[in-house]
Amino acid sequence: MPKTTVAIIDDHTLFAQSLKSLINTFDNYTVSYEAQNGKVFLNQLKGGGALPEIALMDMNMPILNGLETTAILNKEFPSIKVLALSMDDDENSIIKMIRAGAKGYLLKDIHPDILLEALNGVMRDGFYHTKLVSNSLVHSLHPISDNPNETSIEFLGRELEFLKLASTEMTYKEIAVVMNLSPKTVDGYRDQLFKKLNVKNRIGLAVYAIKNNLA
Amino acid sequence: MPKTTVAIIDDHTLFAQSLKSLINTFDNYTVSYEAQNGKVFLNQLKGGGALPEIALMDMNMPILNGLETTAILNKEFPSIKVLALSMDDDENSIIKMIRAGAKGYLLKDIHPDILLEALNGVMRDGFYHTKLVSNSLVHSLHPISDNPNETSIEFLGRELEFLKLASTEMTYKEIAVVMNLSPKTVDGYRDQLFKKLNVKNRIGLAVYAIKNNLA
DNA sequence: TCAGACAAGAGGGTAAACCCTGAATTTAGC
DNA sequence: GCTAAATTCAGGGTTTACCCTCTTGTCTGA
């Protein structure tokens, strides 16, 4: 029986190479593609040759990240089953990836056995979801939060700019100077974001910004 | 000739396990310890048995991070040569780690050959530095930070507990209730940490705590 | 045994953050 | 061209955060 072919798309070469030697110890899998980012991977695919059956896709990559690459793969090479590999268990990221067409979402802190299980699951059922991801999907169906915008918060105008600055040690007065606004306008942005993100004070803003990689 | 023993301290199990299978393909090295964080590793060492010769140390870990662990290792188990493994090439992080006693600093996006080279270098010369790190060391000759405490931050007593709470939306009054202290004592912890972490306000505390995986 | 670090706390002041209401523009959708 | 949303700003209030100095008791190393 021929082995199932796997592609590894990850800019952390050491991790990628380590992962390769791990996967090559699995009886039924072999690594047929390796790429440092989505752009490189797409070019490899367009170069011809047998497509991989599964793609292990890192999320944070330069040039073309995991989310973008997955969306493109789903259109142009729908036979490739994408398994997302990520450092963080942020619910929004998971939901976005699933929506982009990923067949599963794995954290980088899992046990190798789980990886094998996920590979088998994707080949057998077409998808693989851990309990964590399942929970996220459930949450995404009926928003628990009293903030209706929480699942897809969009920042308008200079809100994002303000949010980044609010996550520094600057006072609002200083932020106003930097943004070339009156302190009262800055007050307005602050109160607006308090409501939007459902937080009580500036600490809440900073925590949100950092955990969502905005600051 | 007996193989050189290596410890892997990393909370990303998949990476750790992958790395293990990679290292076990190297002729002269074998993995003798695996731990999810610094705390676990220290407990393993104290449990007795032959110490590892080299420790591959992740930076961002829960409970006891790479910097803290390295500092402790240097005091209590100075024979263990620490090689830092990190995602980012932030100059300050590199300098801090070298000062804490790391014998080298590797990025996770390196080629496996470099890892082997680094292991060999550490065993042969006692250290291994890439060009990147060497540049940082040159820069570090004229101090970047004005805070003399920055290199080895140790949290005493309930400082860590306070720091976690200060990274929430609680007021200091509420924090005092939770910690069963007077608000004035909480004031004291705050001002103490301002100096220690060289920040100006609570936002600085929260940013530090989150970025160092303490909150 | 005595300095020095650590933990807990007090008094009292200024500055910043927070919260509310209201309102003038400009921009975008129908 | 009307409306709604977004952007900008004001007045004025309360609360919290920040900063400084000082005290008390405990524990520890030289």
Side-chain angles (χ1 to χ4, degrees):
Chain A
M1 198 167 77
K3 293 189 177 193
T4 300
T5 50
V6 178
I8 297 174
I9 303 97
D10 198 316
D11 59 320
H12 301 101
T13 314
L14 184 57
F15 177 69
Q17 293 297 312
S18 304
L19 193 57
K20 183 183 172 184
S21 38
L22 177 71
I23 289 175
N24 285 336
T25 70
F26 296 163
D27 285 342
N28 300 321
Y29 298 92
T30 184
V31 175
S32 65
Y33 281 83
E34 299 164 55
Q36 295 78 52
N37 61 61
K39 182 93 178 163
V40 170
F41 183 53
L42 289 173
N43 284 339
Q44 289 175 355
L45 294 179
K46 284 168 186 162
L51 294 178
E53 292 167 83
I54 297 179
L56 288 173
M57 180 80 62
D58 186 30
M59 293 289 84
N60 297 317
M61 292 184 294
I63 306 176
L64 204 61
N65 69 31
L67 190 62
E68 296 157 348
T69 309
T70 301
I72 294 172
L73 281 179
N74 236 261
K75 281 186 190 168
E76 301 189 15
F77 302 95
S79 71
I80 301 175
K81 291 173 263 296
V82 176
L83 259 176
L85 267 181
S86 174
M87 299 287 286
D88 68 313
D89 58 354
D90 173 59
E91 203 165 274
N92 277 321
S93 308
I94 297 175
I95 292 166
K96 277 187 202 163
M97 260 319 264
I98 303 292
R99 284 197 182 140
K103 308 296 188 223
Y105 191 104
L106 299 174
L107 296 179
K108 284 191 177 174
D109 61 359
I110 56 166
H111 194 275
D113 293 348
I114 304 287
L115 175 63
L116 182 56
E117 208 176 284
L119 291 171
N120 289 334
V122 167
M123 290 310 287
R124 187 182 57 235
D125 308 320
F127 65 91
Y128 177 85
H129 291 313
T130 60
K131 194 182 286 180
L132 171 72
V133 174
S134 304
N135 284 342
S136 294
L137 291 177
V138 171
H139 286 179
S140 75
L141 292 180
H142 46 94
I144 288 167
S145 163
D146 46 352
N147 179 353
N149 292 322
E150 195 176 11
T151 46
S152 61
I153 292 175
E154 284 177 27
F155 296 106
L156 15 107
R158 309 184 69 181
E159 277 184 357
L160 200 61
E161 187 187 350
F162 166 77
L163 190 55
K164 285 173 201 274
L165 292 170
S167 307
T168 72
E169 294 175 36
M170 276 190 264
T171 67
Y172 291 125
K173 208 185 287 181
E174 291 167 334
I175 292 175
V177 173
V178 171
M179 291 182 75
N180 204 239
L181 293 171
S182 119
K184 281 299 181 181
T185 307
V186 170
D187 267 24
Y189 278 111
R190 180 199 55 205
D191 295 347
Q192 219 165 291
L193 281 173
F194 280 177
K195 281 185 191 167
K196 198 177 248 181
L197 301 180
N198 195 30
V199 299
K200 282 213 292 281
N201 54 34
R202 194 171 160 180
I203 298 293
L205 293 185
V207 170
Y208 177 90
I210 297 171
K211 295 212 166 168
N212 287 82
N213 280 320
L214 303 175
Chain B
M1 199 167 76
K3 292 188 177 193
T4 301
T5 50
V6 178
I8 298 175
I9 303 98
D10 198 317
D11 60 321
H12 301 101
T13 315
L14 184 57
F15 177 68
Q17 293 296 311
S18 303
L19 192 58
K20 183 184 173 184
S21 38
L22 176 72
I23 289 174
N24 285 337
T25 70
F26 297 163
D27 285 342
N28 301 323
Y29 297 93
T30 184
V31 175
S32 65
Y33 281 84
E34 299 164 55
Q36 296 79 52
N37 62 61
K39 182 93 179 165
V40 171
F41 183 53
L42 289 173
N43 284 340
Q44 289 176 355
L45 294 179
K46 284 166 186 165
L51 295 179
E53 291 168 84
I54 297 179
L56 287 173
M57 180 79 64
D58 185 30
M59 293 291 83
N60 297 316
M61 291 184 294
I63 306 176
L64 205 61
N65 69 32
L67 188 62
E68 296 158 348
T69 310
T70 302
I72 295 172
L73 281 179
N74 235 262
K75 281 185 189 167
E76 301 189 16
F77 302 96
S79 72
I80 301 176
K81 291 173 263 295
V82 175
L83 259 177
L85 267 181
S86 176
M87 300 286 288
D88 68 314
D89 57 355
D90 174 57
E91 201 165 273
N92 274 321
S93 308
I94 296 175
I95 293 166
K96 279 185 203 165
M97 264 315 269
I98 302 293
R99 283 193 184 146
K103 306 296 188 223
Y105 191 103
L106 299 174
L107 297 180
K108 284 191 178 174
D109 60 358
I110 57 167
H111 194 274
D113 292 349
I114 305 287
L115 174 64
L116 183 56
E117 207 177 284
L119 291 172
N120 288 334
V122 167
M123 289 310 288
R124 186 182 58 236
D125 308 320
F127 65 90
Y128 176 85
H129 291 314
T130 60
K131 193 182 286 178
L132 170 74
V133 174
S134 303
N135 284 342
S136 295
L137 290 177
V138 171
H139 288 177
S140 76
L141 291 179
H142 33 94
I144 292 167
S145 164
D146 46 352
N147 179 356
N149 291 324
E150 196 176 8
T151 48
S152 62
I153 293 175
E154 281 178 30
F155 296 107
L156 12 109
R158 310 183 70 181
E159 277 184 355
L160 201 60
E161 187 187 350
F162 166 77
L163 190 54
K164 285 174 202 277
L165 292 171
S167 308
T168 72
E169 296 175 36
M170 276 190 264
T171 67
Y172 291 125
K173 208 184 286 181
E174 291 168 335
I175 292 175
V177 173
V178 171
M179 292 183 73
N180 204 238
L181 292 171
S182 115
K184 282 298 181 182
T185 308
V186 170
D187 267 24
Y189 279 111
R190 179 199 56 205
D191 296 347
Q192 220 166 290
L193 280 173
F194 280 177
K195 280 185 190 164
K196 199 176 247 182
L197 302 180
N198 195 32
V199 298
K200 283 211 291 282
N201 54 34
R202 195 171 160 180
I203 298 292
L205 293 185
V207 170
Y208 177 89
I210 298 172
K211 295 211 165 167
N212 288 81
N213 278 322
L214 302 174

